């Protein structure tokens, strides 16, 4: 709770969020774990002193709960990242297996020539 009686940290569909912002505590925790000082975190998320202090206080006083939720968020992030890596890998492999369109063969040949030139200059 903030000094004016309003909740400083609220639960939204995005998780624990600093009231009046779109900043969630998990983003703050990312930076805390990367050892950012509170002033830089405040500036990065465009928070005022009361908001960053409320976030840090909430994290400290509810450390077990917030840490458990944070670990779930990290797991979800990793699953999403892995999904898109796999999907992009499949998509790129599919594109690579398709032949060039006839009207683009000259362009591809020109690009390959330029690429070969750059490689030979670097070597």
């Amino acid at each position: 709770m903030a000094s004016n009686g309003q909740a400083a940290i609220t639960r939204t569909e995005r998780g624990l969020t600093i009231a009046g912002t779109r900043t969630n505590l998990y983003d703050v925790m990312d930076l805390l774990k990367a050892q950012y000082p509170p002033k830089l975190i405040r500036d990065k998320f465009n928070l005022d002193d009361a908001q960053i202090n409320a976030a840090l206080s909430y994290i400290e006083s509810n450390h077990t709960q917030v840490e458990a939720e944070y670990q779930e968020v990290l797991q979800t992030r990793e699953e999403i990242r892995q999904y898109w890596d796999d999907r992009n890998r499949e998509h790129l492999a599919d594109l690579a297996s398709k032949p060039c369109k006839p009207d683009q063969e000259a362009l591809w040949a020109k690009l390959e020539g330029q690429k070969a030139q750059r490689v030979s200059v670097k070597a």
Side-chain angles (χ1 to χ4, degrees), residues 13 19 42-43 121:
E13 67 278 354
R42 180 197 65 201
D43 293 344
V121 170

Side-chain angles (χ1 to χ4, degrees), residues 31-49:
L31 297 181
L32 286 173
K33 295 210 180 253
Q35 300 186 359
Y36 277 59
K39 287 182 180 179
L40 285 179
I41 297 170
R42 180 197 65 201
D43 293 344
K44 177 160 178 63
F45 294 119
N46 199 26
L47 303 172
D48 61 33
D49 287 333

